[in-house]
């Protein structure tokens, strides 16, 4: 499979090779429960366009940063999605995908978008691949372009949110507070000689909620940041004086 990481061990096959689906005696996408929401003609069109590959347990299907042009459907076995922790020392498991699940949604973002997750075989797995344009044509026909623009808008924002939540799982409270401040600066920050001044008044209660910590503990982190000269307060607004240092703190967590 050109452009994909890892070296999948598979036999050469036609674009569609018969794969046993979960329903006894059914060897089509009709046997995959998660795809029953599609119309019969949509399943048939999807089936005709799939390029099928097999991966052994733990083999990579794709990794973060690679160009995303295709979507994938699990035909048999189980795939896994994970994301590297900010320091890259371990991976956070996001989901285990059974037969019928579709993944690789970064390909639906217009203008090209790299994969943000790592996809790999959790068990020996059989995966079908289809180009994003072909997938949209199967679902929407002549309205594929119009539908694609809407899906791109929603998908890009969904990916951003999932990345944020996933990384929080691998961070301590200090890093989570720093991440929340950095995101606030990117959305509401005005840079001047003092640093990045938050134009939006963000309360400590809101920061505690954004950082998934108690108010008492988050306040302690904020006081420490202030003592270290990383942040300050002017006229009731938070000022990030050392944005780069906060970013380094997040990456090192």
């Amino acid at each position: 499979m050109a452009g994909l990481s890892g070296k999948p061990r598979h036999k050469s096959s036609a674009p569609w090779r018969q794969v046993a689906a979960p329903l006894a005696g059914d060897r089509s996408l009709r046997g995959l429960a998660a795809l029953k929401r599609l119309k019969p003609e949509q399943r048939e069109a999807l089936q005709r366009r799939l390029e099928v590959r097999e991966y052994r347990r733990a083999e990579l299907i794709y990794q973060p940063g690679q160009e995303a042009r295709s979507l994938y459907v699990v035909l048999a076995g189980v795939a896994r999605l994970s994301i590297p922790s900010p320091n890259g020392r371990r991976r956070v498991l996001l989901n285990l995908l059974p037969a019928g699940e579709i993944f690789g949604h970064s390909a639906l973002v217009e203008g090209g978008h790299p994969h943000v997750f790592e996809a790999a075989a959790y068990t020996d797995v059989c995966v079908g691949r289809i180009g994003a344009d072909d997938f949209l044509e199967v679902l929407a026909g002549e309205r594929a372009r119009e539908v694609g623009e809407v899906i791109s808008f929603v998908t890009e924002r969904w990916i951003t949110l999932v990345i944020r939540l996933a990384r929080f799982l691998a961070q301590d409270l200090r890093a989570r507070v720093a991440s929340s401040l950095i995101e606030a600066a990117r959305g509401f920050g005005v840079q001047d000689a003092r640093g990045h001044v938050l134009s939006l008044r963000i309360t400590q209660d809101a920061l505690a909620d954004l950082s998934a910590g108690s108010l008492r503990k988050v306040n302690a982190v904020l006081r420490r940041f202030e003592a270290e000269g990383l942040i300050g307060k002017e006229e009731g607004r938070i000022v990030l004086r050392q944005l780069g240092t906060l970013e380094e703190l997040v990456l090192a967590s």
Side-chain angles (χ1 to χ4, degrees), residues 24-65:
D26 196 332
R27 292 179 174 270
S28 71
L29 295 186
R30 184 165 53 91
L32 300 176
L35 294 179
K36 286 185 176 180
R37 70 194 70 176
L38 298 182
K39 298 177 182 178
E41 59 269 23
Q42 290 175 321
R43 285 196 300 268
E44 292 171 4
L46 179 62
Q47 178 172 315
R48 287 194 301 270
R49 300 188 189 200
L50 285 180
E51 179 184 358
V52 179
R53 294 290 184 269
E54 292 178 351
Y55 295 84
R56 296 287 180 86
R57 184 178 182 274
E59 283 190 311
L60 285 176
I61 299 170
Y62 58 74
Q63 60 186 357

Side-chain angles (χ1 to χ4, degrees), residues 81-123:
L81 290 182
S82 59
I83 189 170
S85 61
N87 59 24
R89 288 196 294 265
R90 67 187 182 92
R91 285 172 172 73
V92 178
L93 178 63
L94 296 179
N95 204 5
L96 296 176
L97 307 175
E101 288 294 328
I102 295 173
F103 60 102
H105 296 81
S106 297
L108 294 173
V109 177
E110 285 190 322
H113 194 291
H115 287 297
V116 295
F117 307 127
E118 177 188 279
Y122 184 75
T123 65

Side-chain angles (χ1 to χ4, degrees), residues 4 24 31 72 77 82 86 95 100 105-106 129 150 153 155 162 168 184-185 187 220 228 232 236 241:
L4 298 180
Y72 301 79
S82 59
N95 204 5
H105 296 81
S106 297
R129 184 179 74 165
V150 176
F153 174 82
T155 299
V162 171
F168 263 37
E228 294 172 348
R241 304 194 189 281

Side-chain angles (χ1 to χ4, degrees), residues 2 11 14 20 22 25 33 41 89 104 124 149 166 184 200 208 244 251:
K11 300 176 182 178
E41 59 269 23
R89 288 196 294 265
D124 288 354
E149 291 175 353
L200 179 69
L251 291 175

Side-chain angles (χ1 to χ4, degrees), residues 84-87 90 92 163-180 182-183 210-212 246-253:
S85 61
N87 59 24
R90 67 187 182 92
V92 178
I163 291 173
R164 182 182 191 276
L165 295 177
R167 285 181 173 164
F168 263 37
L169 296 175
Q171 293 174 332
D172 58 24
L173 180 60
R174 182 173 162 86
R176 296 201 302 271
V177 174
S179 293
S180 298
I182 292 168
E183 289 175 1
L210 286 170
S211 306
L246 288 170
E247 291 174 336
E248 291 174 3
L249 187 157
V250 170
L251 291 175
S253 66

Side-chain angles (χ1 to χ4, degrees), residues 179-232:
S179 293
S180 298
L181 290 170
I182 292 168
E183 289 175 1
R186 288 172 178 164
F188 311 103
V190 177
Q191 188 173 7
D192 61 20
R194 297 168 293 177
H196 291 76
V197 183
L198 300 189
S199 59
L200 179 69
R201 293 181 184 272
I202 299 180
T203 66
Q204 291 181 339
D205 284 335
L207 277 174
D209 289 340
L210 286 170
S211 306
S214 69
L215 179 60
R216 178 180 62 83
K217 291 183 177 180
V218 169
N219 283 343
V221 172
L222 291 172
R223 287 195 298 270
R224 184 175 174 185
F225 283 169
E226 191 167 6
E228 294 172 348
L230 301 180
I231 66 172

Side-chain angles (χ1 to χ4, degrees), residues 231-249:
I231 66 172
K233 261 195 173 182
E234 295 194 16
E235 299 179 353
R237 300 184 188 277
I238 296 176
V239 181
L240 277 63
R241 304 194 189 281
Q242 300 290 338
L243 182 63
T245 303
L246 288 170
E247 291 174 336
E248 291 174 3
L249 187 157

